[in-house]
Amino acid sequence: MSYNNYNRKPEYNSKKEESATDKFRELGFNPAWITTGATTDMINFADKAAKFMGEKNLTTSKIRSVYGEIKRIQMKKFEEERTAFLLLKPKLAYAVGREKATSKNCEGIRLFQLIFNECFTRVKDDATYKNFCNLMEALVAYHKVYQKGKD
């Protein structure tokens, strides 16, 4: 009896694609990184999160406008630029929406948004903003290492 490949049942990859929400939960964000400052755990978190974002084809250009505004605010006093900071949340939501409309895989930018949103609620003054900037800088730096394509 000959074996016919056409009669074979298709093999499906039983491993479900990991979502940004799943990854965020797995990584274990610690609010103290914003309220009290950086730790080695924060650096490890940024490394693993950036690796996920790179694997999900997040390009630097997708986060550049938000990160550029974060750095601009940092150069001035947070209290003077509070409105600009508050407007970063809808700006990032717009970037995520655009990515969803044009790409099947938006989990990279979605993870960036989840991290941003968790930080956003904890930024209250210059000190917490500086801690927020440290985490964002670590994410962007590690992301550059793991980014698949050129930007």
Side-chain angles (χ1 to χ4, degrees):
M1 178 191 249
S2 66
Y3 189 78
N4 184 340
N5 282 336
Y6 295 109
N7 291 332
R8 234 191 239 191
K9 289 184 180 179
E11 294 179 20
Y12 296 102
N13 186 353
S14 61
K15 186 178 179 187
K16 184 183 148 198
E17 191 71 24
E18 188 171 29
S19 74
T21 303
D22 294 339
K23 190 64 173 180
F24 182 76
R25 286 184 190 130
E26 174 192 320
L27 292 173
F29 176 83
N30 184 350
W33 299 332
I34 305 307
T35 57
T36 60
T39 65
T40 54
D41 286 342
M42 184 194 85
I43 301 305
N44 293 332
F45 172 90
D47 185 10
K48 291 173 184 169
K51 183 175 184 182
F52 178 87
M53 290 186 276
E55 289 170 351
K56 299 299 179 186
N57 299 318
L58 176 63
T59 60
T60 305
S61 63
K62 298 280 186 332
I63 55 176
R64 187 176 292 133
S65 64
V66 172
Y67 183 66
E69 186 66 6
I70 289 169
K71 294 305 283 181
R72 188 193 69 74
I73 294 167
Q74 186 182 26
M75 295 176 96
K76 298 184 177 195
K77 287 276 195 192
F78 171 75
E79 292 302 324
E80 296 171 13
E81 295 293 324
R82 184 178 291 274
T83 301
F85 173 71
L86 294 173
L87 291 172
L88 283 174
K89 191 170 184 176
K91 187 174 193 172
L92 183 54
Y94 175 77
V96 171
R98 280 185 52 121
E99 187 68 11
K100 282 181 182 177
T102 61
S103 173
K104 291 179 183 175
N105 187 355
C106 63
E107 293 302 306
I109 196 162
R110 182 75 184 104
L111 179 59
F112 186 80
Q113 182 185 37
L114 288 168
I115 295 167
F116 177 91
N117 288 348
E118 279 297 316
C119 296
F120 182 86
T121 60
R122 291 166 175 84
V123 174
K124 306 291 183 202
D125 53 28
D126 284 324
T128 54
Y129 188 76
K130 182 180 179 193
N131 296 337
F132 163 73
C133 289
N134 289 338
L135 176 56
M136 291 293 117
E137 187 172 334
L139 278 171
V140 171
Y142 275 123
H143 174 260
K144 196 66 175 167
V145 172
Y146 295 115
Q147 183 183 354
K148 285 186 177 180
K150 295 281 182 186
D151 224 10

